[in-house]
Amino acid sequence: NYLPYSVGLMRSHATKYYTGTTPLKFSNFIYKRIDTNAALKEIVQCNIVGFSAYVWNIRLTLKIAKELKKSNPECLIVFGGPQVPDKAEEFLRVNNFIDIAVHGEGEQVFTEILNKFSTRDFTNISSTSYIKEDGSFVTNPRYVRVKLLDEIPSPYLMGVFNDIMQNSTDEKWISMWETNRGCPFSCTFCDWGSAVASKVNQFGLERLYEEIKWFSDNKIEFVNCCDANFGILQRDLDIAQHVVDIKKKTGYPNAMSVQNTKNATERAYVVQKVLADSGLNTGVTISLQSMDAQTLSNIKRANISTKSFQELQRRFTKDKIATYTVLFGLTFSPAQ
């Protein structure tokens, strides 16, 4: 199972920056799929419950939230994550058990909601949408993205996951890991944390190296690096090499997955070769978005150049490193 990184960030940020007078007491994380009744048992007594919603959990999450509001009408239900639409009015009216929708990065927003909970006045919290008691819809301006990412405490280094790891000794854990946030590309099909076509902000190397040590010390089996374009920065090779060095010493992590940068051909090759030679990575994705010129124009994206594709393919094949490209098609049913 994955350690619940996104909500772990909320908790670590709130722990550091909470200014309310009532002490915070956090419930257990719900980090894996359980049925509605089991979930309700964990959270029904809470004053505030935050849900991180994505395509793979949205239906179950909405069901749990709806039943929670029935069982505890006074509970403040907050929804964030990529499944919350930027234009959230219809979403909130259809799912009227949701009190506040959060857009984009959630750390600052969730902490501010906690800080203002005693007053129940959430009217001017940036990056939120909600339905007022009079039935009118409100959406507030967005926060400026966090530039100094180290201001967000690491949930790993703060011990946020210690309890669930100690209580689930039979689990083998997967960790999500960010070395940066943002993506300079503007592909219309993508919503990389709502930070597409934006500057790439970086976590500090000292923090990252401490997190790598944490992964090793806690025998994390698999690290899923969720940077949009690993290898886009010169330092990414140093980061990859550091993970390799730690694995050689300790045996952990067993594997690490990264999403290649799209354009830096030489660096992408070297990074992937370093990971593959150490056994951290067993396959390399080489992306082609579409073979149709009109589609590429519509999605504001160009493929990796044919020359770069062939060069990477040739070099990886020579090194006996497997490569793959994901293909999929869609079939649309006639309108009913």
Side-chain angles (χ1 to χ4, degrees):
N1 279 296
Y2 281 95
L3 289 166
Y5 176 68
S6 60
V7 288
L9 287 166
M10 308 296 148
R11 178 166 166 176
S12 63
H13 189 277
T15 300
K16 181 173 181 178
Y17 296 108
Y18 177 65
T19 59
T21 55
T22 304
L24 294 177
K25 182 180 179 181
F26 293 97
S27 69
N28 296 323
F29 290 111
I30 299 176
Y31 65 91
K32 59 184 177 181
R33 187 173 292 271
I34 57 178
D35 66 36
T36 304
N37 290 332
L40 284 175
K41 185 177 179 180
E42 294 284 341
I43 59 178
V44 70
Q45 299 299 324
C46 293
N47 302 109
I48 307 170
V49 175
F51 293 90
S52 181
Y54 212 170
V55 61
W56 48 72
N57 72 357
I58 182 63
R59 294 176 65 186
L60 179 58
T61 301
L62 288 171
K63 182 179 179 182
I64 293 170
K66 184 175 182 178
E67 294 304 315
L68 172 61
K69 183 62 80 171
K70 289 179 183 177
S71 300
N72 182 0
E74 297 303 312
C75 178
L76 185 77
I77 294 179
V78 182
F79 261 62
Q83 210 65 22
V84 174
D86 287 342
K87 297 180 180 180
E89 182 172 5
E90 181 181 0
F91 176 75
L92 289 171
R93 293 197 185 280
V94 171
N95 303 294
N96 59 6
F97 46 86
I98 299 173
D99 296 298
I100 301 175
V102 174
H103 307 282
E105 291 174 313
E107 293 90 357
Q108 295 179 86
V109 187
F110 193 68
T111 298
E112 192 168 353
I113 291 170
L114 296 180
N115 288 337
K116 294 186 175 182
F117 179 73
S118 60
T119 67
R120 288 273 181 160
D121 181 7
F122 309 114
T123 52
N124 294 315
I125 299 179
S126 298
S127 297
T128 60
S129 297
Y130 55 92
I131 305 293
K132 293 174 65 175
E133 289 185 3
D134 65 7
S136 59
F137 170 72
V138 176
T139 188
N140 289 316
R142 302 292 193 261
Y143 264 119
V144 175
R145 286 176 55 228
V146 180
K147 293 183 178 179
L148 301 175
L149 292 178
D150 286 342
E151 291 179 353
I152 305 171
S154 167
Y156 301 118
L157 304 180
M158 282 193 71
V160 164
F161 304 127
N162 288 357
D163 286 347
I164 62 171
M165 296 179 75
Q166 290 167 4
N167 294 333
S168 306
T169 55
D170 58 334
E171 293 272 16
K172 292 186 176 181
W173 295 104
I174 303 172
S175 286
M176 304 294 289
W177 190 40
E178 293 177 291
T179 77
N180 63 59
R181 286 184 183 179
C183 178
F185 303 106
S186 56
C187 311
T188 55
F189 57 81
C190 184
D191 179 44
W192 204 278
S194 297
V196 295
S198 63
K199 179 175 177 169
V200 176
N201 297 321
Q202 304 172 41
F203 288 95
L205 278 177
E206 182 178 351
R207 170 201 178 114
L208 296 176
Y209 289 171
E210 288 179 5
E211 289 181 328
I212 295 169
K213 183 178 184 302
W214 189 94
F215 298 148
S216 173
D217 291 345
N218 288 276
K219 295 180 168 53
I220 299 300
E221 296 283 340
F222 180 72
V223 174
N224 190 342
C225 180
C226 39
D227 299 356
N229 302 278
F230 193 79
I232 197 171
L233 303 173
Q234 290 187 359
R235 71 173 195 164
D236 289 349
L237 179 57
D238 296 327
I239 293 171
Q241 186 62 57
H242 194 82
V243 179
V244 168
D245 293 342
I246 291 292
K247 181 184 178 179
K248 285 181 179 177
K249 291 179 182 177
T250 69
Y252 289 92
N254 284 337
M256 184 171 82
S257 173
V258 301
Q259 283 69 233
N260 280 337
T261 183
K262 281 69 176 174
N263 293 338
T265 305
E266 179 62 27
R267 197 178 304 136
Y269 165 74
V270 175
V271 166
Q272 292 292 349
K273 188 172 189 321
V274 164
L275 295 176
D277 286 348
S278 69
L280 277 165
N281 195 359
T282 57
V284 179
T285 307
I286 303 182
S287 297
L288 294 172
Q289 301 304 328
S290 175
M291 299 306 294
D292 181 76
Q294 186 61 53
T295 299
L296 291 172
S297 175
N298 291 343
I299 65 175
K300 300 178 183 177
R301 177 66 190 273
N303 284 329
I304 183 173
S305 72
T306 302
K307 181 179 179 181
S308 295
F309 184 97
Q310 292 175 337
E311 175 64 10
L312 285 173
Q313 195 73 274
R314 182 188 66 79
R315 295 173 76 175
F316 284 131
T317 300
K318 180 181 178 182
D319 295 330
K320 295 182 169 57
I321 298 172
T323 64
Y324 62 94
T325 299
V326 178
L327 300 175
F328 71 94
L330 298 175
T331 301
F332 292 94
S333 299
Q336 298 297 318

